[in-house]
Amino acid sequence: MNDRAPAPGGLALVQALVNTLDLELGADSLDTAEGLARFGLAAGEAEGARELRESLRAVCLAHAGHPAHREVTPLGELLARAPLCVTVDEEGGGARLVPATAGTSPAPLASRIAAAIAESLVEGGWPRLKACEAPTCHWAYYDRSPAGRGRWCSMSVCGARAKMRRYRAK
């Protein structure tokens, strides 16, 4: 549905997780083995990933100035359980947050998401990850508009539908 370029850096992971559910078709890629494998998840971890996805979607809607789509667990509550640690590049001295389990086992999804959000906060991109205004869509997109006021994942689909509805209402 989204005709925009993927979000930069780690936000692409956040965007990909939010976009595992197609609201219009009702298709959830977390229902498939391939969809779970894409995020390094086992079958028993799908429900937790869905909870995280919907909390992320609520924040993306808030970034766009839209109300939450439904009651969700607050994102901060979910990410508080996501252990992170600071790594320092010995050569350049740069530091960054990474999942605490990096290097020993695959990081839990929430820790990878938390690290991606932390990285994007430094770069200023987190507020630009938004969810489409269309109630049958809510697809995550990265708003690259100069003013940061994008409303739809795709002007040619969701934006055009909204404009046509407004026109017909007149």
Side-chain angles (χ1 to χ4, degrees), residues 32 74 83 88 95 104 112 120 129 140 160 166 169:
T32 68
V88 178
T104 57
R112 292 181 9 230
S120 71
L129 188 63
R166 278 198 307 270

Side-chain angles (χ1 to χ4, degrees), residues 57-138:
R57 185 184 318 278
V59 171
C60 289
L61 283 164
H63 285 169
H66 311 307
H69 59 302
R70 62 185 178 103
E71 274 297 312
V72 296
T73 304
L75 183 60
E77 211 175 284
L78 295 175
L79 295 183
R81 301 179 226 150
L84 297 174
C85 67
V86 176
T87 61
V88 178
D89 176 6
E90 297 302 324
E91 292 177 24
R96 65 187 187 112
L97 286 173
V98 296
T101 56
T104 57
S105 66
L109 182 57
S111 292
R112 292 181 9 230
I113 294 287
I117 291 171
E119 173 189 321
S120 71
L121 285 171
V122 171
E123 297 166 358
W126 173 236
R128 286 188 173 259
L129 188 63
K130 300 178 178 184
C132 183
E133 177 179 300
T136 58
C137 181
H138 292 321

Side-chain angles (χ1 to χ4, degrees), residues 149-164:
R149 293 191 179 143
R151 299 173 63 184
W152 300 287
C153 64
S154 167
M155 275 306 297
S156 62
V157 179
C158 292
R161 288 176 183 169
K163 288 179 177 188
M164 187 56 72

Side-chain angles (χ1 to χ4, degrees), residues 13-30:
L13 172 67
V14 178
Q15 180 181 27
L17 179 61
V18 172
N19 292 343
T20 57
L21 177 63
D22 184 327
L23 290 174
E24 192 168 30
L25 300 176
D28 186 345
S29 66
L30 294 178

